Amino acid sequence: MSALSEYLEKLEDWDNRTFLSLYNSDFSHRTKAFAKKFSFFGSLFFWGGVWLVWWLYSYITKDYYLLVIFTSGFEQSILIHILIRYKIVKRNRPFIALKNEGVQKHDAYIRIPYVMSDSEHKSFPSGHVTFFLFFGIIFAWYFNSWLIISIFIALDIIMAGSRIILGVHYPTDVLFGFVFAIIYAFLFLGFTYNYWVIFYYWIGPIFSDIVHFRFL
């Protein structure tokens, strides 16, 4: 066995033991109802609602900058996320891998309409943790506020614990959620967001003219 394989085996063993310890704890049983509700704020349903709010704000004020950054940042990052989660790592969630240990899925918001159920079974890294912090970084950067990012980090720590308690993520899934949020934000804000802004401000008027012509 190579040194890397041995290390990964030890890491997986730690991951399983740590997960089961928290999942089966009294704290987990007492807070599971809260975790279910709080987990909603990391779901696509919640962020879709936020996107609609920014869309309405942009429509009213004609200031589309934040909407463009919010949308393009998600589009770029979710493509990377899907590649890592479903094509490279492909790690089964705890409620599948540790079913014999009595682990169950308690997440009411995990199911996404029109998505193959198999894709819902992959866990690394945690999308809830990753994108909650990623959007927090986007908002903090846009509003130039350390307070915003501090609040998002604190809430994301709660989100990470909630995902473990609900039986849908391992500790390393949520830990790397923080890591990938920073990587996605670095790639987007450090290298590509200007190109996305140029693209959207170019295609926006074209799309608007097409819609206007169609409904004349």
Side-chain angles (χ1 to χ4, degrees), residues 122-185:
K122 307 307 176 187
S123 69
F124 183 93
S126 167
H128 278 63
V129 173
T130 300
F131 286 100
F132 193 91
L133 181 57
F134 173 76
F135 288 131
I137 295 172
I138 294 294
F139 291 143
W141 174 83
Y142 181 82
F143 293 108
N144 191 27
S145 172
W146 282 103
L147 177 60
I148 290 177
I149 191 60
S150 299
I151 292 173
F152 268 85
I153 289 173
L155 292 176
D156 209 25
I157 292 173
I158 300 174
M159 182 68 71
S162 297
R163 302 305 288 165
I164 298 173
I165 288 170
L166 295 176
V168 293
H169 285 294
Y170 295 94
T172 52
D173 293 343
V174 299
L175 288 173
F176 275 91
F178 289 96
V179 173
F180 279 103
I182 295 171
I183 292 174
Y184 295 167

Side-chain angles (χ1 to χ4, degrees), residues 74-91:
F74 175 74
E75 288 177 336
Q76 173 178 301
S77 301
I78 195 64
L79 290 174
I80 302 172
H81 194 77
I82 289 172
L83 178 64
I84 294 170
R85 186 166 176 173
Y86 302 131
K87 299 298 181 182
I88 298 176
V89 179
K90 297 187 286 188
R91 184 187 200 185

Side-chain angles (χ1 to χ4, degrees), residues 22-189:
L22 181 56
Y23 178 82
N24 292 321
S25 67
D26 291 337
F27 175 79
S28 173
H29 294 308
R30 292 196 305 268
T31 58
K32 205 173 296 294
F34 168 80
K36 287 181 182 180
K37 294 179 175 63
F38 189 78
S39 187
F40 171 74
F41 297 104
S43 69
L44 287 178
F45 299 103
F46 173 74
W47 288 114
V50 172
W51 183 86
L52 287 175
V53 169
W54 286 123
W55 187 89
L56 290 172
Y57 170 82
S58 301
Y59 180 79
I60 294 170
T61 64
K62 304 304 179 185
D63 180 5
Y64 295 95
Y65 194 68
L66 180 55
L67 177 65
V68 167
I69 294 174
F70 186 88
T71 303
S72 57
F74 175 74
E75 288 177 336
Q76 173 178 301
S77 301
I78 195 64
L79 290 174
I80 302 172
H81 194 77
I82 289 172
L83 178 64
I84 294 170
R85 186 166 176 173
Y86 302 131
K87 299 298 181 182
I88 298 176
V89 179
K90 297 187 286 188
R91 184 187 200 185
N92 283 331
R93 293 185 185 270
F95 67 82
I96 297 174
L98 300 177
K99 184 178 180 180
N100 292 335
E101 300 286 344
V103 178
Q104 299 178 31
K105 181 185 73 172
H106 304 278
D107 183 11
Y109 303 102
I110 195 172
R111 183 166 292 281
I112 303 171
Y114 311 116
V115 176
M116 292 179 62
S117 60
D118 182 61
S119 67
E120 299 171 11
H121 296 163
K122 307 307 176 187
S123 69
F124 183 93
S126 167
H128 278 63
V129 173
T130 300
F131 286 100
F132 193 91
L133 181 57
F134 173 76
F135 288 131
I137 295 172
I138 294 294
F139 291 143
W141 174 83
Y142 181 82
F143 293 108
N144 191 27
S145 172
W146 282 103
L147 177 60
I148 290 177
I149 191 60
S150 299
I151 292 173
F152 268 85
I153 289 173
L155 292 176
D156 209 25
I157 292 173
I158 300 174
M159 182 68 71
S162 297
R163 302 305 288 165
I164 298 173
I165 288 170
L166 295 176
V168 293
H169 285 294
Y170 295 94
T172 52
D173 293 343
V174 299
L175 288 173
F176 275 91
F178 289 96
V179 173
F180 279 103
I182 295 171
I183 292 174
Y184 295 167
F186 175 73
L187 291 174
F188 179 66
L189 296 176

